[in-house]
Amino acid sequence: MAKVSPDVGPKDPQIVTLFGATGDLARRKLLPGLFHLVSGGFIPGCRIVGLSLDELDAESFRTLARGALDEFSTRKIDEADWAAFADILDYVPLAAGPDALRGAVARAEAVLGSHSQRLHYLSVPPSAALSAVRLLGEADLVQRSRVVMEKPFGTDLTSAVILNTRLHEVFSEDQIFRIDHFLGKEPAQNILAFRFANGLFEPIWNRNFIDHVQIDVPETLGLGKRTGFYEQTGAYRDMVVTHLFQILAFMAMEPPTALEPRAIGEEKNKVFRSMLPIDPEDVVRGQYIGYRSEEGVDPESETETFIALKCLIDNWRWAGVPFYLRTGKRLAEGQRVISIAFREPPKSMFPAGSGVGAQGPDHLTFDLADASKMSLSFYGKRPGPGMRLDKLSLQFAMQETGRIGDVLEAYERLILDAMRGDRTLFTTAEGIERLWEVSIPLLESPPPVRLYQPGSWGPKSIHQLVAPHAWRLPFERAWRDPNPTGA
């Protein structure tokens, strides 16, 4: 594998303690991601200590890691790279306690040197996060370290405040990296480049030109083995607070004073401070038919597997512009799309029947899938006699750059950023607590769940929520194939 320039990664060797090392996220994303970062030369020296409840030894963990790479890696595995990666893997059962963990890290430091840094990745349920933090404190592994935490960060304002308080008893805020893999995706970061590097769009990125915004993340998958976790969270806690609101902040933030973490984080927090509390009347909660009969689900469960809501940002740029958010399980398509609808002209000079307005307003659309795409739709004249208009579009796909192979997967980028201490794509305690604060009216008085058919777009009442507008998904046209011949 070609080696990358060292200036894109951390300067110091890294010791990764991976809590939940035998779990689903570790197998699907974290171990393949760490393998790519190590074998690709992004990290100048690395040792990985896996931890979990499973009573394994280091060799068994290596076998598990190889199985994860074979099953989930999206890149070809070079056997020499695997042999080098296997050599840096170690394992400590959680039952062995802080002394065993301290010893494993000491062995890693003996190889890498005392200038190595520590990255503690907590790939564990929220209920286990604080016990992992306490273990790190008891093992005296707080110095020279950063800790990465998975969502959700609490389930309401009270639990979030308690969680942050307990975390801060062991780690300082600048050591804590609350991860959101949506923001680690290349297209999410491309929003910043698109907005602030181009003179064409930033002048119209406001209430005078934008009518409304939609952030739409439907999923076709069900819950599988996550029903127990989901019963305690639901779609709003699982997806909206931790993912969709973060994307909204990238869309709505003011230009930062610099493209650096503190400035960007402050502008995101300003957006959160400007958000109005979520009105339960502006929310549709849904549950797919059959959810209550799944294993681990209360037969009378009111947990939502779908949510759509309208939120408002009460500042000069966005006053009066609704932001519509939608996500759910077992829906018709799996998409990650942001659509910005521009205001229509105040008066039409075109004759009736010309087609103008028939397909809605002009839209700028971002597809947040890993192979990112953007589209700008507009009306144009249909060739031929008379004045007939059709909806046309300008489209861009990452494949067209010839650099799709350079894209890091979301978890790979975020792990690398945490190793470098770059907090741009991570959220803060203040931001999380503010989002739970605006959620209080909804969490205290949630509307009843409405049933919907699996494979649909959710409860029918979502159309009243967005009226007089319409949901952008399903699209009126398919994305253009940038390589239609397959060449």
Side-chain angles (χ1 to χ4, degrees), residues 271-279 311-314 434 438:
V271 173
F272 299 148
R273 290 196 291 268
S274 299
M275 287 175 61
L276 295 178
I278 305 299
D279 187 340
C311 63
L312 298 168
I313 300 173
D314 192 25
R434 172 57 184 166
V438 302

Side-chain angles (χ1 to χ4, degrees), residues 187 335-338 365-374 479:
Q335 297 274 0
R336 294 169 180 173
V337 170
I338 303 171
T365 303
F366 294 87
D367 185 336
L368 298 185
D370 287 324
S372 62
K373 294 175 282 193
M374 289 184 288
W479 287 96

Side-chain angles (χ1 to χ4, degrees), residues 328-403:
K329 305 292 185 182
R330 300 289 299 276
L331 296 177
E333 294 179 19
Q335 297 274 0
R336 294 169 180 173
V337 170
I338 303 171
S339 294
I340 297 100
F342 293 98
R343 294 191 180 277
E344 299 190 59
K347 177 175 173 58
S348 175
M349 65 190 72
F350 297 95
S354 65
V356 69
Q359 296 187 58
D362 301 338
H363 280 89
L364 175 63
T365 303
F366 294 87
D367 185 336
L368 298 185
D370 287 324
S372 62
K373 294 175 282 193
M374 289 184 288
S375 172
L376 178 64
S377 69
F378 56 91
Y379 285 101
K381 183 184 179 300
R382 181 186 301 176
M387 183 57 75
R388 291 283 299 168
L389 304 181
D390 286 328
K391 207 61 175 291
L392 309 174
S393 67
L394 300 173
Q395 294 187 10
F396 160 81
M398 183 66 71
Q399 289 95 331
E400 296 169 4
T401 68
R403 305 199 66 172

Side-chain angles (χ1 to χ4, degrees), residues 130 152-168 178 241 428-437:
L130 287 177
F153 315 110
T155 55
D156 54 21
L157 179 59
T158 300
S159 62
V161 170
I162 292 172
L163 175 61
N164 286 325
T165 300
R166 298 276 177 81
L167 286 173
H168 293 154
R178 298 169 186 82
V241 175
T428 64
E430 177 190 345
I432 285 295
E433 291 176 12
R434 172 57 184 166
L435 291 175
W436 286 121
E437 185 179 5

Side-chain angles (χ1 to χ4, degrees), residues 67-359:
L69 295 185
D70 289 339
E71 186 174 359
F72 297 113
S73 178
T74 58
R75 304 174 178 94
K76 185 177 179 180
I77 301 170
D78 180 86
E79 290 303 321
D81 287 337
W82 161 250
F85 185 72
D87 190 54
I88 70 172
L89 297 179
D90 198 356
Y91 185 83
V92 175
L94 282 171
D99 291 340
L101 175 56
R102 186 187 307 114
V105 172
R107 290 193 298 272
E109 289 181 342
V111 175
L112 296 179
S114 60
H115 62 298
S116 57
Q117 301 293 310
R118 303 160 178 166
L119 183 76
H120 308 305
Y121 198 115
L122 308 188
S123 178
V124 296
S127 58
L130 287 177
S131 62
V133 168
R134 284 194 295 270
L135 178 62
L136 291 168
E138 292 167 1
D140 195 23
L141 297 176
V142 176
Q143 299 301 317
R144 307 194 326 275
S145 72
R146 301 180 176 108
V147 58
V148 179
M149 296 195 62
E150 280 286 337
K151 58 125 179 142
F153 315 110
T155 55
D156 54 21
L157 179 59
T158 300
S159 62
V161 170
I162 292 172
L163 175 61
N164 286 325
T165 300
R166 298 276 177 81
L167 286 173
H168 293 154
E169 291 173 356
V170 181
F171 292 96
S172 61
E173 177 63 20
D174 62 3
Q175 291 179 288
I176 302 169
F177 289 72
R178 298 169 186 82
I179 200 166
D180 173 16
H181 71 270
F182 271 49
L183 294 188
K185 292 180 176 294
E186 194 81 25
Q189 297 165 69
N190 208 19
I191 295 171
L192 295 180
F194 190 87
R195 285 190 59 187
F196 301 129
N198 298 297
L200 179 61
F201 287 101
E202 182 57 24
I204 61 172
W205 209 267
N206 57 61
R207 64 188 302 274
N208 296 319
F209 298 94
I210 292 177
D211 185 79
H212 65 279
V213 176
Q214 295 180 26
I215 302 176
D216 216 349
V217 186
E219 297 179 284
T220 58
L221 297 175
L223 290 164
K225 298 179 180 179
R226 297 180 70 229
T227 51
F229 162 79
Y230 214 75
E231 274 288 275
Q232 306 301 316
T233 55
Y236 183 79
R237 290 178 170 93
D238 183 46
M239 288 290 292
V240 176
V241 175
T242 50
H243 291 324
L244 273 63
F245 280 159
Q246 304 298 325
I247 293 292
L248 181 150
F250 265 29
M251 286 292 308
M253 60 189 271
E254 295 296 320
T257 55
L259 197 66
E260 57 90 18
R262 187 178 299 274
I264 291 175
E266 175 57 21
E267 295 306 332
K268 284 176 58 184
N269 284 343
K270 285 181 183 177
V271 173
F272 299 148
R273 290 196 291 268
S274 299
M275 287 175 61
L276 295 178
I278 305 299
D279 187 340
E281 294 188 1
D282 292 332
V283 177
V284 175
R285 296 169 70 238
Q287 186 186 92
Y288 64 79
I289 296 172
Y291 171 76
R292 293 176 182 174
S293 63
E294 295 189 10
E295 183 179 355
V297 175
D298 184 340
E300 299 180 358
S301 174
E302 289 293 307
T303 299
E304 79 277 359
T305 62
F306 169 98
I307 193 156
L309 65 143
K310 178 176 75 174
C311 63
L312 298 168
I313 300 173
D314 192 25
N315 61 19
W316 277 40
R317 183 182 289 264
W318 297 113
V321 176
F323 286 73
Y324 298 102
L325 282 56
R326 176 173 64 168
T327 187
K329 305 292 185 182
R330 300 289 299 276
L331 296 177
E333 294 179 19
Q335 297 274 0
R336 294 169 180 173
V337 170
I338 303 171
S339 294
I340 297 100
F342 293 98
R343 294 191 180 277
E344 299 190 59
K347 177 175 173 58
S348 175
M349 65 190 72
F350 297 95
S354 65
V356 69
Q359 296 187 58

Side-chain angles (χ1 to χ4, degrees), residues 400-421:
E400 296 169 4
T401 68
R403 305 199 66 172
I404 188 68
D406 293 345
V407 174
L408 288 176
E409 292 191 0
Y411 279 100
E412 295 172 354
R413 176 178 295 278
L414 291 168
I415 289 171
L416 206 61
D417 284 354
M419 288 178 172
R420 295 168 53 228

